[in-house]
Amino acid sequence: MKPTKTILDVFNESNLAKDEYKSYSSFLKSHLLSVDSETNVPWFVKIITIFGACVGSLLFLGFLLISHLLSSEESMIITGSVFVLSGIAVTYANKRNYLSDSLSLSLSILGQVLLGIGIGAKAIEFNTVCYAGLVVETLIYLFAQSYTHKFLSVILIPACLLGIIWNSPIFEATHFLIGGLAVASVLIWTNELPLQIRLNKLPCFFVPTAYGLVLGLLLTLVLSINSKFFVVYINHWYITSLISFFSLSFLLYKSLCQSLGISKKTFWLVLTIIAILFAPTVHAPGIISSVLIIILGFTRSNRILLTLGIVFLATFIISFYYSLQQTLLTKSLMLMLTGVLFLGIGFAFGHLKKKVAMQ
Amino acid sequence: MPDEILNEKFSLKVIYLLAKMDHMSEEVLSSFYSIAGFKPGIQSWISFISKLVLSLGLLFTVTGVIFFFAYNWSELHKFAKLSIVGGAILASTIIALFSELNKFHAKLSLLAVAVFTGSLLAVFGQIYQTGANAYDLFLNWAILITGIVLISNFKPLWFLWLTLINTAIILFAGQILWRWIDPFVFISLFIVNTIALIIYEYFSYRKNPKFDSRWLPRIIGFAIIFSMTVAGIVGIITEFEDYGHAICLLLALGSYVTAFFFYSRKVYDLSSIAVSCVCIIAMVFTVILKARNFDTASIFFIGGFIIVGLTITSAFILIKINKAWKTQI
């Protein structure tokens, strides 16, 4: 998981021709030191940018509302649109200097909130706000030249879709939205390398989309924790669980059968064991989906995905046992039995590991 | 351009950069990806699943035992209750004893022993109604597991031990001294956590492989910086009615300077510097709020500018440090 080899080691082991070695190493030398390369920006900077932009824009919003500078719906819509467009424009003006990312993101967030309030007040219907949100987020996703803008849009697009679904008689379409996010997450990460190469002229697309989809999936699944809290009563959570299970099966097929060449028989055995293990949690789709993200993180050697998966898995497991309509005694016995079962499987794998190592 | 840059670890970031090259083919990138060890082999898969499942197993079993005693059923004889926890400790100890301590399952067994020790103390207190304070439980628990923590070299166990010590201090101040939210409690926690962090970072700086992992010092660092900032902010708002808050503010400022210096020059870790930046933003914002006497409209207007301005400055500083570090290696 943690990289152990240096760039030099990898190049040496790749048996590169002299000119290939020269071109790759000179490219890396120039880009690894370059401050204007987005890849070189530590993720803490992006977190701080998002944090600062959110707090800053909310304060500006508070000022605009308190000072009654924007009193009519029309003025809110117009100012909101101007702010959103300015936010996008700043990303173009500072393509190579993302220090102003915080400013452009503040403008964008402020504009989006103003647009939401303005359209909401004018149209009254929540659906209209969601449709407008969908259009605005899609535009930001397509045109903004910044990781953070696109990342937030990828998370907000499913949120708008969710709003539209909830204002329609087909609540159950939520399962297909979440399922779609699970499928998209698997597809985008399993095609990481070809997509990165194909999108090399559009460097701001892959990373925010891939991470945004995963976070969007996990955040949307929080709805499955407690329906009473979210007022919307969604049934048949097994549909989401099934879609996540099929996505997991596809991921395992690609990783175990295609990459490692294990037999179909072993693959089906693995799937059967997973199905049996997770059958009791079929109404808590967050559990199988978090496992999907953990496996995705492992297969892509991506620690951010792995950490996200583990954090959400813990949350979903706790909520699952909390929401069980059983006495503490029954819950404790169930937990202990599951624990012993997992420990047994763990020790079996320990022996298998020894066997494989000896071979 | 220095050739040393090629001695940097071949991380996913390098893959992302290489993908941007003109005429980069999927085959070449895939081959780099495999050689760098990003594609897990069968051995890695088994090891990963084994660790994941064992961790989940331990989590479920320990939670199950805790829920079992939370049920507090009277039908169960007190000896039976004690025997169940004692049995769990014994079973975990036997597994740890007959395994090599560097193996993951042995470390997990030691973690189970440590957690069950707490359960045993809780059950003992529940049965005999010893009248002890809650801080006694946490302090005794920490003392009893110290040996296990020392031999285990397992970060989650160290984390548990430090959490117990922190909890014991908070409960001692609250239950014995009747000072629940007090700057001197924060200062006591600061001292304990700083000592732990200094020890860790000393060995990390000396490149001791046992202190290679960064999550534990990051959490301790966050706790130190964040708690001192909160206490300092309370001091600013209350105009330092309690002089302890002034000490907290000084300690907070000292923490920021130390974090900036140490994590940019000695041990490279931007996360603590980033947390310091966020805390400095919060501190400056509070000072301005106080100076404007909480005048709402101007706070919102000026505050917005200040937050965005300070965020840009923080990003600039962090990127500068990142670049400076890269040119050093």
Side-chain angles (χ1 to χ4, degrees):
Chain A
M1 186 59 61
K2 216 175 176 182
T4 47
K5 290 181 182 170
T6 63
I7 298 170
L8 206 61
D9 292 337
V10 174
F11 282 180
N12 288 339
E13 284 177 40
S14 302
N15 297 323
L16 298 169
K18 223 173 185 177
D19 53 334
E20 283 177 322
Y21 179 91
K22 214 174 162 185
S23 92
Y24 294 142
S25 54
S26 61
F27 178 84
L28 283 180
K29 277 178 203 168
S30 63
H31 282 75
L32 277 172
L33 282 175
S34 140
V35 181
D36 60 18
S37 159
E38 267 276 17
T39 329
N40 272 338
V41 183
W43 63 274
F44 305 114
V45 177
K46 288 177 182 134
I47 299 274
I48 287 190
T49 304
I50 294 175
F51 164 81
C54 289
V55 178
S57 54
L58 288 177
L59 286 170
F60 278 128
L61 184 72
F63 168 72
L64 290 174
L65 294 177
I66 288 170
S67 58
H68 298 289
L69 279 176
L70 301 171
S71 48
S72 68
E73 292 94 12
E74 286 80 9
S75 60
M76 280 192 193
I77 294 171
I78 293 166
T79 321
S81 310
V82 170
F83 279 153
V84 170
L85 291 174
S86 314
I88 296 175
V90 175
T91 63
Y92 276 91
N94 292 281
K95 234 174 169 179
R96 295 177 69 80
N97 178 8
Y98 42 84
L99 286 175
S100 58
D101 215 19
S102 190
L103 177 69
S104 63
L105 199 60
S106 296
L107 287 170
S108 180
I109 293 171
L110 186 59
Q112 288 171 55
V113 177
L114 280 175
L115 260 176
I117 298 173
I119 293 171
K122 201 169 170 63
I124 304 170
E125 277 184 23
F126 185 63
N127 243 354
T128 320
V129 181
C130 295
Y131 280 116
L134 203 57
V135 173
V136 171
E137 296 310 327
T138 312
L139 287 175
I140 294 174
Y141 177 71
L142 291 175
F143 297 110
Q145 296 298 307
S146 145
Y147 275 51
T148 40
H149 284 65
K150 285 187 196 290
F151 174 71
L152 289 180
S153 296
V154 175
I155 295 173
L156 288 172
I157 288 173
C160 293
L161 286 171
L162 209 57
I164 295 167
I165 291 171
W166 285 5
N167 278 285
S168 70
I170 43 160
F171 268 17
E172 304 301 324
T174 309
H175 303 301
F176 297 100
L177 173 67
I178 303 175
L181 286 170
V183 172
S185 302
V186 171
L187 287 178
I188 198 165
W189 281 105
T190 47
N191 290 298
E192 186 185 10
L193 297 185
L195 279 173
Q196 291 262 19
I197 292 171
R198 268 175 220 159
L199 296 171
N200 69 351
K201 296 279 177 257
L202 303 162
C204 285
F205 270 97
F206 180 81
V207 172
T209 313
Y211 284 106
L213 281 173
V214 169
L215 198 61
L217 166 72
L218 293 171
L219 288 176
T220 320
L221 276 164
V222 172
L223 292 173
S224 65
I225 286 181
N226 193 339
S227 56
K228 280 176 199 155
F229 180 75
F230 293 102
V231 188
V232 178
Y233 294 93
I234 305 167
N235 298 308
H236 312 299
W237 278 113
Y238 63 88
I239 301 173
T240 311
S241 295
L242 275 177
I243 300 175
S244 290
F245 177 72
F246 288 130
S247 307
L248 180 63
S249 309
F250 174 73
L251 174 63
L252 289 174
Y253 177 76
K254 290 235 13 148
S255 321
L256 298 177
C257 294
Q258 288 189 347
S259 288
L260 290 179
I262 70 156
S263 67
K264 289 262 167 64
K265 206 173 144 189
T266 318
F267 170 69
W268 284 111
L269 182 72
V270 170
L271 276 196
T272 313
I273 293 172
I274 293 172
I276 294 168
L277 271 178
F278 289 97
T281 67
V282 73
H283 293 290
I287 295 178
I288 184 97
S289 303
S290 308
V291 171
L292 170 73
I293 300 303
I294 292 175
I295 303 282
L296 206 52
F298 173 69
T299 54
R300 306 312 304 168
S301 294
N302 188 314
R303 287 208 282 177
I304 298 177
L305 291 186
L306 206 56
T307 312
L308 269 177
I310 290 170
V311 168
F312 276 88
L313 180 66
T315 314
F316 290 125
I317 286 177
I318 291 167
S319 80
F320 172 69
Y321 280 97
Y322 179 77
S323 61
L324 279 178
Q325 301 294 318
Q326 305 287 342
T327 62
L328 270 179
L329 183 65
T330 320
K331 278 185 192 178
S332 75
L333 291 174
M334 282 172 74
L335 278 166
M336 281 193 265
L337 278 174
T338 323
V340 170
L341 182 69
F342 273 129
L343 287 174
I345 297 171
F347 282 113
F349 267 99
H351 281 289
L352 189 66
K353 194 176 151 189
K354 268 186 206 163
K355 260 188 178 177
V356 172
M358 278 165 72
Q359 279 173 5
Chain B
M1 219 49 87
D3 269 349
E4 288 76 37
I5 201 83
L6 293 180
N7 287 326
E8 196 178 310
K9 290 271 184 277
F10 196 100
S11 59
L12 280 173
K13 187 177 77 182
V14 179
I15 289 283
Y16 292 168
L17 272 177
L18 286 170
K20 286 182 187 171
M21 269 184 90
D22 290 333
H23 316 299
M24 172 53 78
S25 71
E26 199 186 322
E27 290 72 39
V28 174
L29 203 61
S30 257
S31 120
F32 286 150
Y33 192 83
S34 302
I35 292 168
F38 293 128
K39 219 175 232 174
I42 192 84
Q43 190 90 21
S44 312
W45 266 96
I46 295 170
S47 168
F48 167 73
I49 293 172
S50 166
K51 281 182 182 175
L52 180 71
V53 172
L54 279 176
S55 308
L56 282 175
L58 178 79
L59 178 81
F60 280 116
T61 315
V62 169
T63 324
V65 171
I66 292 167
F67 269 29
F68 187 78
F69 290 106
Y71 182 69
N72 196 21
W73 46 334
S74 50
E75 295 87 23
L76 200 65
H77 191 271
K78 57 186 176 185
F79 290 145
K81 284 183 180 178
L82 288 170
S83 307
I84 291 169
V85 198
I89 294 178
L90 198 65
S92 313
T93 313
I94 288 170
I95 294 172
L97 268 177
F98 289 97
S99 318
E100 288 170 49
L101 273 182
N102 59 348
K103 293 271 187 273
F104 185 70
H105 70 268
K107 290 180 177 185
L108 273 186
S109 306
L110 288 178
L111 180 63
V113 174
V115 177
F116 287 135
T117 305
S119 303
L120 183 69
L121 291 176
V123 172
F124 189 83
Q126 193 189 57
I127 294 171
Y128 294 104
Q129 296 294 321
T130 53
N133 286 302
Y135 93 88
D136 283 322
L137 170 89
F138 288 99
L139 187 63
N140 290 331
W141 185 357
I143 293 168
L144 282 173
I145 65 167
T146 306
I148 299 169
V149 175
L150 283 171
I151 60 161
S152 69
N153 178 34
F154 192 40
K155 306 293 176 309
L157 256 172
W158 277 105
F159 180 66
L160 173 71
W161 188 82
L162 262 178
T163 311
L164 293 176
I165 296 283
N166 275 265
T167 315
I169 291 172
I170 294 167
L171 291 173
F172 176 78
Q175 293 180 327
I176 306 297
L177 307 175
W178 290 98
R179 299 179 82 148
W180 280 105
I181 303 167
D182 189 272
F184 290 100
V185 178
F186 281 101
I187 294 168
S188 314
L189 296 176
F190 174 87
I191 294 168
V192 170
N193 293 329
T194 306
I195 291 171
L197 187 63
I198 289 172
I199 294 171
Y200 195 101
E201 294 298 18
Y202 171 77
F203 288 108
S204 178
Y205 180 61
R206 304 204 64 143
K207 307 271 182 241
N208 186 325
K210 285 179 183 173
F211 294 82
D212 192 27
S213 149
R214 294 300 310 159
W215 70 266
L216 186 60
R218 278 179 186 169
I219 291 180
I220 303 173
F222 294 172
I224 293 170
I225 294 170
F226 186 72
S227 61
M228 283 300 106
T229 305
V230 170
I233 285 176
V234 172
I236 294 169
I237 294 169
T238 57
E239 294 178 354
F240 301 105
E241 282 170 3
D242 187 334
Y243 73 94
H245 284 124
I247 301 174
C248 288
L249 182 69
L250 287 175
L251 289 174
L253 297 175
S255 312
Y256 305 149
V257 175
T258 315
F260 268 88
F261 175 76
F262 187 76
Y263 291 112
S264 63
R265 283 161 193 251
K266 303 292 175 191
V267 173
Y268 177 66
D269 192 343
L270 271 185
S271 61
S272 293
I273 302 178
V275 171
S276 299
C277 287
V278 174
C279 289
I280 291 169
I281 294 173
M283 196 77 95
V284 172
F285 187 59
T286 314
V287 171
I288 291 162
L289 284 187
K290 186 76 187 158
R292 301 291 305 178
N293 218 6
F294 297 96
D295 168 36
T296 337
S298 60
I299 285 166
F300 279 113
F301 186 65
I302 300 169
F305 275 110
I306 287 169
I307 297 274
V308 174
L310 287 176
T311 308
I312 293 172
T313 316
S314 304
F316 179 75
I317 293 169
L318 286 168
I319 289 159
K320 274 262 174 199
I321 294 170
N322 190 41
K323 196 193 173 193
W325 185 265
K326 283 209 176 305
T327 43
Q328 268 179 40
I329 58 170

